[in-house]
Amino acid sequence: MIKMDDVVREGHSALRTKAEEISFPLTEENQKLAADMMEFLENSQDDELAEKYELRAGVGLAAPQLALSKRMIALLIPGEYEDDPPALKQVMINPKVISHSVESACLKDGEGCLSVDREIPGFVVRHSRITVTYFDVNGTSYKKRFKGYPAIVLQHEIDHLNGVMFYDYINEKDPFALKDEVTIIE
């Protein structure tokens, strides 16, 4: 079971290194990694388990955050209401943004990260809509569009695969500066 001690923190070289592509069929080790990453997100969003294991809630996790140079991410974005099914629940292998909107968006409260133990105020401006190609754990390929919050989360996690941290996007001089055309997501 993945715990917070397994998640590397900022300053670790794995977070600044471009991760390696994964080949198919997946090895048993990579299948287990995919299952473990999703289990971590599920546990982190379960109040009882999160408290028991001292987990910070997360909606995404990338293999480099576990010091593994693998292009694998897990996403578990809750539905709008408590009893809704997840808005997105997927392990993606070798995900790639192949196109994006000209329009930009950011989260009103900024972004956080399981690998960052401090609050970093500021807007992280990203694409409003993206099209992503990826493989699931069975090797099936997908091409899907995402918008709004799921698009933001996906870009955050794919950045981890490329050695990019969310705060790299924050304007150092004026962290809350925005161009007029940027949509702020509540």
Side-chain angles (χ1 to χ4, degrees):
M1 180 176 139
I2 296 171
K3 294 187 179 166
M4 288 306 298
D5 288 346
D6 300 310
V7 177
V8 297
R9 302 309 202 276
E10 59 182 321
H12 193 287
S13 61
L15 297 174
R16 290 298 189 178
T17 304
K18 187 170 179 166
E20 295 177 18
E21 293 259 327
I22 296 173
S23 57
F24 287 91
L26 289 186
T27 62
E28 279 186 36
E29 177 187 316
N30 283 336
Q31 289 176 15
K32 181 176 179 347
L33 175 61
D36 288 350
M37 288 171 66
M38 184 57 71
E39 179 191 48
F40 171 85
L41 294 176
E42 290 168 347
N43 292 346
S44 81
Q45 292 180 26
D46 179 305
D47 291 340
E48 271 182 46
L49 292 175
E51 186 176 340
K52 179 179 178 180
Y53 296 112
E54 298 179 354
L55 305 177
R56 281 176 39 206
V59 292
L61 183 65
Q65 292 180 275
L66 304 171
L68 299 170
S69 183
K70 298 178 181 195
R71 297 187 77 77
M72 180 187 298
I73 61 175
L75 304 150
L76 182 57
I77 300 175
E80 192 173 345
Y81 301 103
E82 197 172 325
D83 293 334
D84 286 354
L88 178 60
K89 181 178 184 178
Q90 183 69 56
V91 172
M92 296 182 178
I93 315 290
N94 302 331
K96 198 175 287 170
V97 176
I98 59 166
S99 66
H100 58 78
S101 62
V102 175
E103 295 87 18
S104 298
C106 65
L107 301 180
K108 179 180 81 106
D109 296 327
E111 292 184 21
C113 180
L114 294 169
S115 292
V116 179
D117 290 331
R118 60 193 174 107
E119 277 197 41
I120 302 178
F123 288 132
V124 180
V125 179
R126 299 185 181 277
H127 304 293
S128 297
R129 295 182 309 282
I130 56 173
T131 301
V132 176
T133 58
Y134 66 93
F135 295 89
D136 67 14
V137 294
N138 300 314
T140 305
S141 66
Y142 295 87
K143 177 181 171 185
K144 289 189 178 177
R145 290 191 173 103
F146 298 91
K147 64 181 183 177
Y149 185 66
I152 300 260
V153 173
L154 246 168
Q155 289 171 84
H156 178 113
E157 297 309 325
I158 291 173
D159 275 349
H160 276 305
L161 304 180
N162 296 314
V164 177
M165 298 294 284
F166 75 91
Y167 49 74
D168 296 345
Y169 295 97
I170 297 174
N171 180 329
E172 285 183 30
K173 289 188 174 79
D174 188 356
F176 293 99
L178 279 182
K179 295 182 175 135
D180 290 341
E181 64 274 10
V182 176
T183 302
I184 297 176
I185 299 172
E186 297 288 324

